[in-house]
Amino acid sequence: MPVAMPIQTDWLKSVLIDRGYLARIKGEGIKVYLAMLDACGGIPDQSVTMSLSQLMAKTRLSCPTVIDSLARLETLGLVVSTTHERGKVKTYYVPDPPSDEIA
């Protein structure tokens, strides 16, 4: 449907540009964030399960870089870890972050 794309594009523009998150995402974090958004279909408020190797393959980043980027994205509130068991694949929730709580 051609209508769905402008809505997703507007939401992404709203988060990254209008709410100021693009300026706060450090280093390679934008690649990881965009890979997470791609995995959830570009729709906010979705859960995403991706292995570290899948994220590394999509972004072509090293393991430590992906882990560091995810930690930074969590600090910003752009992704929320919903699985905390050691040895388990982490599940992340991609929220529609607020504009007034930028860290």
Side-chain angles (χ1 to χ4, degrees):
M1 287 195 117
V3 176
M5 188 54 118
I7 293 169
Q8 292 170 352
T9 303
D10 289 347
W11 174 76
L12 186 59
K13 179 188 175 295
S14 170
V15 170
L16 293 179
I17 308 299
D18 300 340
R19 299 181 202 180
Y21 283 97
L22 184 60
R24 289 174 167 72
I25 297 174
K26 302 291 183 207
E28 303 288 0
I30 190 67
K31 290 181 182 179
V32 175
Y33 186 60
L34 292 175
M36 298 292 283
L37 287 177
D38 181 58
C40 73
I43 302 169
D45 298 327
Q46 300 288 318
S47 290
V48 177
T49 301
M50 291 182 73
S51 69
L52 201 50
S53 60
Q54 287 173 314
L55 275 171
M56 290 168 52
K58 277 191 164 220
T59 61
R60 296 186 182 197
L61 298 173
S62 69
C63 183
T65 302
V66 170
I67 292 171
D68 183 52
S69 296
L70 284 169
R72 288 180 180 181
L73 292 170
E74 274 191 90
T75 300
L76 290 172
L78 292 171
V79 298
V80 178
S81 174
T82 56
T83 306
H84 298 283
E85 294 180 45
R86 187 172 181 88
K88 299 283 183 181
V89 173
K90 276 193 164 183
T91 300
Y92 288 90
Y93 180 74
V94 179
D96 186 6
S99 59
D100 58 345
E101 294 182 19
I102 298 174

